[in-house]
Amino acid sequence: MRKTVRVAHETGVGRTRAPSSRLDREILRLAVPSFLATITIPLVGIVDTALVGHLGPVAYIGAVSIGAMVFDALYWVFAFLRAGTTAIVSQAYGAGDDTRAGRTLWQSWSVALVFGLLIVVLRDPIAEVGLRLAGGTSDVQDAARNYIRVRILAAPAVLTTFALFGFFRGMKDAVTPLVVTLVVNVVNLAGDAVWIHGLWGFPRLGVTGAAWASVAGAAAGLCVALLVLVMRYRRAARVGWGGWDMLHPMRLRKLAVTQTHLFNRTLLLVAAYFLMVALAARMGEVPLAANAVLLQLWYLAAYSIDGVAIACETLVGNALGAGNAPIARALIRRATLWGVALSAVFALAYAVALPEITALFTRDARVIEAVVALTGLMVVLQPINAVAFVFDGVFIGANDTRYLALQIAVSCLGIFVPLAWLLTERWPLGLAGLWIAMASFSIVRAVLLLVRVTRPSWMPARMREAARV
């Protein structure tokens, strides 16, 4: 009961109305640390791409791009371990149920550990399948193979950290994921400096050195996350532990349903980005390198706006857990405004400085020219993406994960895949055709989510009438 009172005091979920300034403070209290954490996530790929890009051959950039794409496919598919945990824990926190929150943590963490170990065991087949699908020249493939076989050793640490992040954010703790992510990136950056270019007497390992740096960063991050769990959330972890009985299929049912929908949704998202890299690889080394830079810039904006989306996951989940539909609606309106405003900053930066930004990744004039040619699309798509990302967070917090899976299926399979094939194979527009297909995918995704959020059907049945107020 004490926690229920505290949740109502913090967020206003015990009221039918809350001032916009109060909602803004709550959104920013979670969004700013989440923004800082998520904006550093693509730094692993950005730093690897930038440092490897200055080794010399363009093939090295392509190798890291393909290697990063394989791990995006692996880790994004398993992002349900974080989002699914947040979806349930946030509502448990809003309802003051520590036992359910802790049980969800242990269930998700156990599943994450099993999958992480399985990935390591299957690292050679995973590497070969990824390389075969991605394509590229023999030089690109050889370098990418070495990168993948080393970096995949980090999988157990990465996936179990996902589950911990989902728990922390569901408990309204956005600071711990920030600290852990900073540790990961600092260790990765130091490892890149030491192992890629061979500083301080270490051997120059090039692309393989970038992979070892990623492994070291992931291990360090997991250690910090577990330390925080023991020190700060010992009670929830203790009361939630139910022994091996908590992994019984009946007890796992709710988490399994939520995470299955999120798995399907994320798998299709990954497939879309995977197809982008694969099609770009077949265009040659320069388009592949240009696409790698464009994707890194895309991720940078996406992860930044995702800070607001993560705040939505937590706060909307808290409001629904406490049974307050009007507060949930108000939070959505304010979060959307913040997401669009943040996207405008990236749109402006890309509009005025894309050549200079691209030059940070590579000195190759052909790659810079190919990136700059798509400035218009990069600018226009930022606010559209913001709407999609924020509403994605809303539906995760509401645990309306079935609709998330359905709308991604329509956007990806019905729009992106056929357009990408038509505009690159049937009517070869090159890299521009590929990104026009991606733009269409984002627009349809945003529209489908907007239609859903304007109706009360995504809320629990007992709250739908209140949501109309």
Side-chain angles (χ1 to χ4, degrees), residues 334-392:
R334 302 305 300 178
T336 303
L337 290 175
W338 281 107
V340 172
L342 182 57
S343 72
V345 175
F346 283 93
L348 180 62
Y350 295 158
V352 301
L354 192 57
E356 291 77 13
I357 294 172
T358 307
L360 297 175
F361 292 90
T362 179
R363 295 186 296 267
D364 193 293
R366 300 167 299 168
V367 175
I368 294 174
E369 182 181 0
V371 171
V372 172
L374 297 176
T375 300
L377 275 176
M378 290 293 289
V379 170
V380 171
L381 281 175
Q382 297 312 311
I384 296 171
N385 287 336
V387 172
F389 299 153
V390 171
F391 289 166
D392 200 75

Side-chain angles (χ1 to χ4, degrees), residues 284-335:
E285 290 185 355
V286 171
L288 176 60
N291 190 64
V293 174
L294 287 165
L295 281 175
Q296 292 300 332
L297 297 178
W298 179 279
Y299 297 152
L300 185 63
Y303 280 119
S304 301
I305 298 167
D306 211 36
V308 179
I310 289 170
C312 265
E313 293 176 18
T314 300
L315 294 175
V316 170
N318 290 165
L320 296 180
N324 197 319
I327 288 294
R329 282 286 193 197
L331 284 165
I332 293 168
R333 289 192 292 270
R334 302 305 300 178

Side-chain angles (χ1 to χ4, degrees), residues 64-94:
V64 172
S65 174
I66 288 177
M69 176 267 295
V70 170
F71 288 104
D72 286 343
L74 282 174
Y75 296 153
W76 282 3
V77 164
F78 288 102
F80 68 82
L81 295 165
R82 183 200 67 76
T85 305
T86 300
I88 299 175
V89 171
S90 64
Q91 293 194 25
Y93 183 88

Side-chain angles (χ1 to χ4, degrees), residues 108-407:
S108 185
W109 199 87
S110 300
V111 172
L113 181 60
V114 170
F115 277 121
L117 294 173
L118 186 61
I119 287 171
V120 172
V121 171
L122 298 175
R123 66 175 183 167
D124 287 335
I126 289 172
E128 293 308 316
V129 170
L131 292 173
R132 183 171 299 177
L133 292 175
T137 65
S138 59
D139 289 342
V140 169
Q141 291 236 332
D142 288 343
R145 183 176 291 104
N146 293 332
Y147 180 86
I148 293 169
R149 294 190 76 258
V150 171
R151 188 175 166 184
I152 208 167
L153 298 175
V158 172
L159 297 191
T160 50
T161 301
F162 281 179
L164 289 166
F165 276 15
F167 173 78
F168 294 143
R169 286 170 173 159
M171 300 291 281
K172 295 191 71 174
D173 179 2
V175 174
T176 297
L178 169 60
V179 172
V180 172
T181 306
L182 289 175
V183 169
V184 169
N185 282 286
V186 167
V187 173
N188 180 75
L189 179 61
D192 277 342
V194 169
W195 291 317
I196 291 178
H197 292 283
L199 297 182
W200 305 322
F202 284 87
R204 179 172 173 161
L205 300 178
V207 173
T208 304
W212 279 115
S214 298
V215 174
L222 175 60
C223 290
V224 173
L226 289 172
L227 181 63
V228 173
L229 179 68
V230 171
M231 294 179 62
R232 185 173 181 184
Y233 299 102
R234 185 178 304 170
R235 180 182 182 280
R238 185 179 67 253
V239 299
W241 173 257
W244 295 113
D245 182 59
M246 70 181 180
L247 299 179
H248 189 279
M250 291 302 295
R251 293 188 179 276
L252 280 171
R253 185 176 181 279
K254 183 174 182 179
L255 181 66
V257 170
T258 296
Q259 293 191 339
T260 298
H261 289 320
L262 290 172
F263 170 82
N264 293 334
R265 161 250 190 195
T266 309
L267 183 63
L268 289 171
L269 278 173
V270 170
Y273 291 114
F274 193 105
L275 182 59
M276 286 193 75
V277 176
L279 291 174
R282 286 162 171 77
M283 297 176 192
E285 290 185 355
V286 171
L288 176 60
N291 190 64
V293 174
L294 287 165
L295 281 175
Q296 292 300 332
L297 297 178
W298 179 279
Y299 297 152
L300 185 63
Y303 280 119
S304 301
I305 298 167
D306 211 36
V308 179
I310 289 170
C312 265
E313 293 176 18
T314 300
L315 294 175
V316 170
N318 290 165
L320 296 180
N324 197 319
I327 288 294
R329 282 286 193 197
L331 284 165
I332 293 168
R333 289 192 292 270
R334 302 305 300 178
T336 303
L337 290 175
W338 281 107
V340 172
L342 182 57
S343 72
V345 175
F346 283 93
L348 180 62
Y350 295 158
V352 301
L354 192 57
E356 291 77 13
I357 294 172
T358 307
L360 297 175
F361 292 90
T362 179
R363 295 186 296 267
D364 193 293
R366 300 167 299 168
V367 175
I368 294 174
E369 182 181 0
V371 171
V372 172
L374 297 176
T375 300
L377 275 176
M378 290 293 289
V379 170
V380 171
L381 281 175
Q382 297 312 311
I384 296 171
N385 287 336
V387 172
F389 299 153
V390 171
F391 289 166
D392 200 75
V394 169
F395 294 130
I396 289 174
N399 206 1
D400 188 21
T401 52
R402 181 175 180 271
Y403 185 79
L404 285 178
L406 289 174
Q407 60 87 21

